């Protein structure tokens, strides 16, 4: 319990640091946002008025405080390039990217865990080498290229889906999920390969340990020893790795949303970067950081449950 | 009861035998000491008897007969039935020999779970009894603990409890006290002796330490480079060692003077 | 026995592949079969042939020549990124790991916050601040990768700090700077080298991704990522465009990742 509290404090601290950095980063950039909002022929009065409206005339920490207060209520200010609050702009996008990430994560877990375990169940050097080679190649194909190939093969040639025909999950959840299958798979593939590799290395390492010998001496078969003892030990580092993958998926979705024309958070981030729409960029950065911090914290707590030795310190 | 006849073991990919034709017997209710330096083949012998070393890693010839059943010619499934039921093992490092993420209770019960049809409550009762038999205070609390929460000496008692729970015919103790400090060592030896006397459980006690063997075993087999060079009563070995190797082994005991005096 | 051969084979294979790619990149800077920017209305979407090995694109430009240039750009950016990230990362990691104390604590807290964040997103933020273009990509990626190097180096330096050889060097009057540079740093190569290669690999991946998104390298610089995004529009008419460009990216990453993984496995043994 005390550990959880400490962990929570750590997570909060990280969020404060990240939000501060995100805020600071967009404050120190050269150029005044009012210039772009009002155009070149703006009068001094209108600039001053807008600066006051945006709060740019107040001292730095006061602005940070005000921004944080807003952010805590879900108010991230107004977008520079769209005439609407950032929060409204984000509302529709978050669900899409969350769904994409969820499908992708599910694929990783459902494919890599059984594959990794099956590859370890028996020692077959030939199969091992083949799996290694396949793994290396999959890891070397960037998701956006996989995505492009999928659009070409499954979209244009086989016509299993129509590229660009995405419907929002709020309209039709299942059609939306079905469309997201290929993008999700494209991001998941390299991570599946990495997880399989990681899990195998971890199971290998555990199999050499003394407690496995004890398990055999009691009459466990290889399967029983694997299932009852080895996996529970091997899964601990894998959970941490999966958490990293989950955090990473968001980054992957930025690119893959572009490939499959999915109007999610990633695409919004890109257009906002291109338009220098800093309030939106800031908000997305903070939201993604929150996601990363939550995932890592959750993985830590899960590992606590799985490995009693971690509960001590 | 256990009879080993002309046992040869050669690891695959190695050009010499680790065990070169050894023979010995462990009688009912006896503690036989198997002594030798590291690399003499004593642990390999134990691993073959407990079926931890199989044909996948080494070429094994000879006969290992437990109560009339030849373990080497038995099929794989028969071996899994003997392991943990008729033959149980206590290893050297209790901390690493236990599963770190599993509570003590399920680990102690594991042999019952694999070899009997007892239900959960019955298994628990037997496990608690086994922990008490291994002279552990407060068995209920220990049952719920994880290995890292116990000391080395306690863990070795837990390992012994786990090994005796299914009342095996033979207990293989592979250097069970080497990793422990001296006072705990003496307690564990006393516990093994008591279990042997009260239950008539046969023990094959493997050690590199003649001193320890002397406290526990009436008979001892001395191994060198894969062969048994001498089998005799422990006291006889001590005072009238026949093989040169045994003489050197005794001479190497640092407390030899004390032994003769006391 | 079987294990010890594998890392070596991986490293060799990866080196050979990376060597070919580097040769292609070098070639691209001095000579290409055609000018990478020369357009030809008559030769739009010519399929691969002896004349145009990888075919031509929508402007009739020779894809092989463009790919060779693109590999050059990618190498340039990836090496620059590794240089910036590694030099600063090693500096920060060495100082914090060696001296420890509250600066170490504070910087590592910051580092944890940053590494928790996927580095490509970090680079996107920097790009948002700096603007597009080759040098800004190098800067953005280089800075984004600093934490990952700093963490590796810090751990090593903190470990070596307590070792006897460092203490005796100290007793013999060696300065802190000398100990860090001459004594500890050479001992960390085992860990640093795979980290550098994997960093290169990540840089290639990130640059291609950013250029694909149109927020990386700007024209007239040729970039594989940007070519890929262009080719996506002509997948049915000119499949060779997307396939050749993509394959080169895959080979580039495969070479570096084989070397990196091989080095890591060799250390693990």
């Amino acid at each position: 319990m005390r550990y959880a509290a400490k962990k929570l404090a750590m997570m909060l601290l990280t969020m404060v640091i990240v939000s501060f950095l995100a805020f600071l980063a967009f404050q120190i950039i050269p150029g005044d946002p009012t210039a772009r909002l009002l155009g070149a022929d703006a009068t001094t009065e209108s600039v001053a008025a807008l600066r006051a409206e945006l709060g740019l005339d107040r001292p730095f920490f006061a602005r940070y405080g005000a921004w944080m207060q807003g952010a805590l209520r879900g108010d991230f200010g107004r977008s520079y390039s769209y005439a609407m609050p950032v929060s409204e702009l984000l509302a529709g996008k978050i669900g899409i990217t969350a769904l994409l990430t969820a499908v992708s994560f599910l694929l990783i877990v459902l494919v890599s865990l059984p594959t990794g375990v099956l590859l370890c169940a028996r020692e077959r050097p030939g199969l091992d080498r083949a799996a290694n080679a396949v793994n290396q190649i999959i890891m070397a194909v960037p998701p956006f290229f996989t995505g492009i190939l999928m659009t070409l093969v499954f979209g244009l040639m086989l016509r299993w889906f129509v590229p660009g025909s995405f419907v929002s999950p709020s309209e039709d959840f299942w059609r939306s999920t079905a469309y997201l299958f290929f993008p999700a798979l494209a991001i998941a593939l390299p991570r599946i390969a990495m997880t399989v590799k990681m899990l195998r290395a971890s199971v290998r390492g555990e199999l050499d340990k003394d407690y496995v010998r004890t398990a055999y001496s009691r009459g466990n078969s290889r399967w029983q020893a694997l299932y009852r003892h080895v996996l529970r030990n091997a899964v601990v580092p894998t959970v941490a790795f999966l958490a990293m993958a989950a955090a990473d998926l968001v980054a992957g979705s930025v690119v893959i949303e572009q490939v499959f024309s999915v109007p999610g958070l990633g695409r919004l981030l890109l257009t906002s970067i291109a338009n220098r729409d800093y309030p939106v960029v800031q908000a997305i950065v903070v939201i993604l950081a929150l996601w990363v911090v939550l995932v890592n914290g959750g993985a830590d707590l899960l590992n606590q449950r799985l490995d009693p030795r971690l509960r001590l310190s | 009861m256990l009879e080993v006849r002309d046992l040869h073991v050669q690891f695959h990919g190695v050009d010499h035998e680790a065990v070169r034709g050894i023979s010995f017997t462990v009688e009912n209710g006896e503690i036989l000491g198997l002594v030798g330096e590291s690399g003499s083949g004593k642990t390999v012998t134990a691993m073959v008897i407990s079926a931890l070393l199989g044909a996948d890693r080494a070429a094994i010839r000879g006969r290992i007969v437990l109560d009339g059943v030849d373990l080497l010619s038995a099929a794989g499934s028969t071996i899994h039935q003997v392991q943990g039921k008729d033959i149980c093992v206590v290893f050297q490092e209790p901390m690493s020999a236990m599963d770190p993420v599993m509570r003590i209770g399920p680990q102690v019960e594991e042999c019952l779970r694999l070899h009997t049809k007892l239900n959960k409550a019955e298994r628990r009762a037997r496990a608690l009894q086994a922990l008490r038999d291994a002279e552990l205070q407060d068995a209920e609390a220990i049952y719920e603990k994880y290995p890292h929460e116990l000391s080395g000496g306690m863990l070795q008692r837990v390992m012994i409890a786990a090994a005796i729970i299914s009342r095996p015919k033979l207990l293989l103790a592979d250097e069970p006290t080497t990793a422990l400090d001296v006072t705990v060592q003496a307690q564990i030896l006393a516990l093994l002796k008591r279990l042997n006397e009260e239950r008539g459980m046969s023990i094959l006690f493997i050690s590199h330490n003649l001193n320890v063997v002397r406290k526990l075993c009436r008979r001892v087999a001395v191994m060198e480079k894969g062969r048994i060079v001498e089998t005799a009563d422990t006291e006889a070995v001590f005072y009238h060692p026949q093989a040169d190797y045994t003489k050197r082994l005794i001479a190497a005991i640092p407390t030899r003077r004390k032994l003769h005096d006391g | 026995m079987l294990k010890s051969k594998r890392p070596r084979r991986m490293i060799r294979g990866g080196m050979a592949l990376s060597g070919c790619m580097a040769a292609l990149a070098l070639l691209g800077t001095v000579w290409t079969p055609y000018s990478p920017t020369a357009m030809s209305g008559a030769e739009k979407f010519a399929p691969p042939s002896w004349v145009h090995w990888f075919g031509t694109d929508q402007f009739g430009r020779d894809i092989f020549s463009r790919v060779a240039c693109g590999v050059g750009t990618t190498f340039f950016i990836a090496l620059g990124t590794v240089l910036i990230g590694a030099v600063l990362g090693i500096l920060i990691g060495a100082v914090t790991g060696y001296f420890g104390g509250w600066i170490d604590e504070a910087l590592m807290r910051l580092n944890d916050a940053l590494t928790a964040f996927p580095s490509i997103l970090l680079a996107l933020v920097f790009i948002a601040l700096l603007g597009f273009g080759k040098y800004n990509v190098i800067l953005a990626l280089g800075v984004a990768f600093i934490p990952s190097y700093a963490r590796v180096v810090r751990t090593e330096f903190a470990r070596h700090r307590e070792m006897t050889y460092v203490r005796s060097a100290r007793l013999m009057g060696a300065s802190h700077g000398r100990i860090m540079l001459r004594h500890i740093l050479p001992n960390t190569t085992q860990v640093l080298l795979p980290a550098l290669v994997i960093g290169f690999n990540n840089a290639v991946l990130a640059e291609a991704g950013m250029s694909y998104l149109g927020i990386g390298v700007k024209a007239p610089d040729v970039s594989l990522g940007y070519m890929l995004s262009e080719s996506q529009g002509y997948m049915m008419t000119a499949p060779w465009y997307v396939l050749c460009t993509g394959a080169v990216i895959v080979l580039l990453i495969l070479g570096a990742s084989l070397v990196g993984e091989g080095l890591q496995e060799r250390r693990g043994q």
Side-chain angles (χ1 to χ4, degrees):
Chain A
M1 211 49 230
R2 259 183 55 203
Y3 181 90
K6 220 172 116 188
K7 196 80 222 162
L8 209 66
M10 243 24 204
M11 285 160 65
L12 265 173
L13 182 66
T14 310
M15 274 318 294
V16 170
I17 294 177
V18 168
S19 68
F20 181 73
L21 287 179
F23 188 77
L24 179 73
F26 293 101
Q27 294 297 319
I28 55 174
I29 40 161
D32 195 321
T34 52
R36 223 183 27 265
L37 284 172
L38 294 173
D41 51 334
T43 59
T44 331
E45 293 87 62
S46 63
V47 167
L50 186 63
R51 286 182 65 88
E53 192 197 323
L54 294 174
L56 291 176
D57 55 343
R58 291 154 70 201
F60 175 77
F61 278 101
R63 276 181 290 161
Y64 176 61
W67 178 72
M68 267 301 270
Q69 276 181 6
L72 286 176
R73 291 194 316 265
D75 174 13
F76 289 95
R78 289 180 77 83
S79 157
Y80 289 170
S81 40
Y82 303 94
M84 59 193 314
V86 175
S87 51
E88 267 177 45
L89 203 55
L90 294 178
K93 314 283 184 189
I94 290 179
I96 296 172
T97 300
L99 184 61
L100 175 61
T101 309
V103 175
S104 194
F105 189 73
L106 215 61
L107 281 171
I108 295 180
V109 174
L110 290 183
V111 177
S112 62
L113 293 189
T115 313
V117 173
L118 281 176
L119 281 173
C120 290
R122 248 168 236 290
E123 298 222 21
R124 270 178 292 192
L127 187 72
D128 242 34
R129 266 199 293 274
N132 260 322
V134 171
N135 253 357
Q136 280 294 341
I137 291 171
I138 291 179
M139 277 189 275
V141 185
F144 57 88
F145 186 49
T146 320
I148 291 174
L149 289 181
M150 283 173 173
T151 343
L152 177 65
V153 176
F154 301 112
L156 300 177
M157 286 159 72
L158 298 175
R159 294 183 186 281
W160 289 1
F161 71 100
V162 183
S165 68
F166 179 75
V167 276
S168 158
S170 53
E171 247 172 76
D172 186 340
F173 181 79
W174 291 113
R175 258 186 71 197
S176 185
T177 310
Y179 184 84
L180 288 177
F181 173 78
F182 282 110
L185 185 62
I187 331 179
L189 269 177
R191 275 127 191 134
I192 288 174
M194 282 182 229
T195 315
V196 168
K197 190 180 144 89
M198 160 89 213
L199 186 64
R200 275 172 66 212
S202 158
V203 169
R204 268 308 129 73
E206 293 296 327
L207 277 174
D208 286 339
K209 294 206 173 149
D210 284 353
Y211 71 84
V212 183
R213 189 182 58 182
T214 309
Y216 284 139
S217 84
R218 291 185 184 145
N220 283 291
S221 66
R222 192 181 163 93
W223 258 115
Q224 283 168 321
L226 201 65
Y227 176 73
R228 273 179 62 78
H229 296 281
V230 175
L231 279 183
R232 287 207 36 199
N233 281 282
V235 92
V236 173
T238 313
V239 167
F241 184 81
L242 280 175
M244 245 167 60
D248 218 28
L249 282 177
V250 192
S253 66
V254 172
V255 189
I256 220 68
E257 282 174 12
Q258 191 74 10
V259 178
F260 287 89
S261 320
V262 175
L265 217 51
R267 274 198 124 191
L268 181 64
L269 178 63
L270 284 177
T271 46
S272 304
I273 288 175
N275 297 336
R276 306 209 157 205
D277 194 345
Y278 296 132
V280 181
V281 179
Q282 240 167 23
I284 295 179
V285 166
V286 171
I287 287 170
L288 293 185
L290 182 64
W291 161 248
V292 170
V293 167
L294 284 179
V295 165
N296 282 325
D300 269 359
L301 292 179
L302 180 61
N303 265 345
Q304 293 258 307
R305 298 240 41 85
L306 292 171
D307 190 344
R309 284 167 297 178
L310 296 175
R311 283 174 220 167
L312 277 181
S313 49
Chain B
M1 194 215 38
L2 177 80
E3 187 184 9
V4 176
R5 272 284 148 266
D6 198 28
L7 180 70
H8 292 261
V9 181
Q10 181 168 6
F11 284 98
H12 296 319
V14 178
D15 61 355
H16 63 271
E17 290 184 329
V19 174
R20 316 170 176 210
I22 61 167
S23 304
F24 63 87
T25 53
V26 183
E27 305 296 341
N28 246 332
E30 181 194 35
I31 306 182
L32 175 72
L34 189 60
V35 193
E37 298 170 319
S38 53
S40 62
K42 55 192 197 308
T43 293
V44 174
T45 308
M47 282 174 71
V48 174
I49 295 172
S50 54
L52 288 173
L53 180 63
D56 53 328
R57 282 167 58 205
I60 301 165
R61 282 187 294 126
R63 282 163 61 79
I64 297 175
V65 184
L66 180 72
D67 278 347
V69 180
D70 188 346
L71 298 181
L72 285 183
S73 62
S77 55
T78 321
I79 296 224
H80 286 312
Q81 279 161 23
V82 173
Q83 280 179 324
K85 185 165 175 290
D86 295 331
I87 299 179
C88 287
V89 192
V90 177
F91 295 101
Q92 181 174 352
E93 295 270 357
M95 185 59 101
S96 63
M98 299 199 69
D99 187 338
V101 302
M102 194 184 257
R103 289 183 200 273
I104 299 292
Q107 299 202 54
V108 172
E109 291 168 16
E110 190 160 25
C111 290
L112 296 181
R113 196 189 159 93
L114 288 162
H115 303 291
T116 68
K117 290 193 176 96
L118 297 179
N119 66 27
K120 213 171 167 190
E122 292 166 333
R123 288 204 302 266
R124 186 185 147 90
R126 286 274 294 272
L128 291 176
Q129 187 54 48
L131 288 171
R132 285 186 206 106
D133 288 345
E135 294 167 358
L136 281 161
Q137 314 289 321
D138 205 6
E140 279 89 357
I142 289 177
Y143 187 92
E144 299 295 336
K145 285 211 185 327
Y146 286 99
H148 71 273
E149 296 170 306
L150 300 180
S151 70
M154 287 168 97
L155 281 180
Q156 197 58 295
R157 289 173 190 279
V158 170
M159 284 299 287
I160 291 173
I164 60 173
I165 193 168
S166 60
R167 301 186 175 273
K169 293 169 184 162
L170 177 72
L171 183 73
L172 263 172
D174 188 0
E175 307 252 13
T177 61
T178 310
L180 307 174
D181 58 48
V182 184
T183 42
V184 183
Q185 215 174 62
Q187 292 167 7
I188 296 286
L189 291 177
L191 170 64
L192 286 174
K193 185 143 198 141
R194 210 200 78 217
L195 288 169
N196 162 259
E197 281 164 0
E198 284 178 5
R199 305 186 168 198
M201 182 174 63
S202 309
I203 300 176
L204 179 59
F205 186 87
I206 295 165
S207 179
H208 66 281
N209 187 338
L210 265 174
N211 232 344
V212 170
V213 168
R214 188 176 180 229
K215 287 180 192 154
L216 195 64
C217 316
R218 253 197 50 239
R219 234 157 45 87
V220 62
V222 183
M223 273 191 90
E224 182 200 13
K225 291 179 185 155
R227 288 201 177 82
I228 288 181
V229 290
E230 185 165 2
T231 312
D233 278 6
T234 315
E235 295 305 308
V237 167
F238 256 88
Y239 291 107
H240 312 286
Q242 298 299 306
D244 284 347
Y245 178 73
T246 320
K247 286 176 192 163
R248 289 204 307 277
L249 212 57
I250 291 170
I253 298 175
T255 53
R256 187 178 165 224
R257 279 265 284 304
K258 276 190 202 148
L259 268 175
H260 278 277
D261 294 343
Chain C
M1 262 154 276
L2 206 144
K3 262 187 173 172
S4 63
K5 264 188 184 167
R6 219 175 69 124
R8 214 174 59 205
R9 277 209 307 259
M10 282 168 71
I11 295 171
R12 278 191 186 161
M15 293 282 262
L17 196 54
S18 300
C20 290
M21 287 294 137
L24 184 66
L26 281 177
L27 184 76
T29 57
V30 291
W31 176 83
T32 47
Y34 300 86
S35 160
T37 48
M39 304 187 193
S40 158
E43 285 186 301
K44 275 187 198 170
F45 296 130
S49 63
W50 286 112
V51 190
H52 295 287
W53 294 348
F54 287 180
T56 62
D57 66 5
Q58 75 274 28
F59 298 116
R61 293 175 298 193
D62 180 55
I63 292 176
F64 179 77
S65 302
R66 289 180 66 74
V67 163
C69 282
V71 173
T73 315
T74 301
F75 256 89
F76 180 74
I77 290 178
L79 287 177
T81 299
V82 171
L83 199 70
I84 292 183
V87 168
L88 294 179
I90 289 172
L91 204 68
I92 295 172
V95 170
T96 53
Y98 183 78
F99 291 110
W102 69 269
I103 301 182
D104 177 41
E105 273 297 316
L107 272 175
M108 279 307 123
R109 215 50 12 261
L110 181 68
N111 213 0
D112 280 349
L114 288 178
T115 27
F117 213 61
S119 49
I120 185 163
L121 282 182
L122 218 54
L124 287 184
V125 172
F126 286 123
I127 276 289
L129 297 172
L130 299 166
F132 310 151
K134 189 154 72 174
Y135 296 100
N136 286 341
V137 173
I138 294 181
L139 203 58
L141 285 176
V143 173
F145 285 157
I146 290 175
S148 61
Y149 293 114
R151 170 186 291 232
V152 171
V153 173
R154 192 205 85 103
T155 317
E156 281 300 287
F157 269 70
R159 198 164 64 85
H160 281 270
R161 179 181 62 191
E162 304 299 331
M163 288 190 181
T164 331
Y165 80 95
V166 171
R167 291 179 174 204
S168 54
R170 189 78 199 122
L171 282 176
M172 279 157 65
S175 68
H176 289 303
R178 193 184 155 79
I179 289 177
M180 288 197 275
L181 200 65
R182 302 294 295 275
H183 294 275
I184 304 184
L185 191 61
N187 276 304
T188 58
T189 41
Q190 283 270 313
V191 182
L192 205 52
L193 205 59
L196 288 178
V197 178
I198 290 169
F200 177 87
N201 191 15
N202 289 337
V204 171
L205 198 60
E207 186 275 322
M210 286 165 74
S211 298
Y212 172 80
L213 295 175
I215 55 169
V217 177
K218 276 193 302 197
D221 283 320
V222 185
S223 141
L224 295 172
Y226 187 70
M227 287 173 69
L228 210 53
S229 79
E230 262 188 349
S231 70
Q232 213 186 339
Y234 312 104
M235 272 193 298
M236 289 305 270
T237 21
W240 57 86
Y241 192 4
V242 65
L243 290 178
C244 291
T245 313
V248 170
I249 295 181
V250 171
L251 290 179
L252 210 55
I253 295 171
L254 187 63
S257 81
L258 278 175
V259 177
E261 302 264 335
L263 285 172
Q264 244 177 0
E265 266 185 40
R266 191 172 69 180
R267 181 169 59 96
Q269 282 174 9

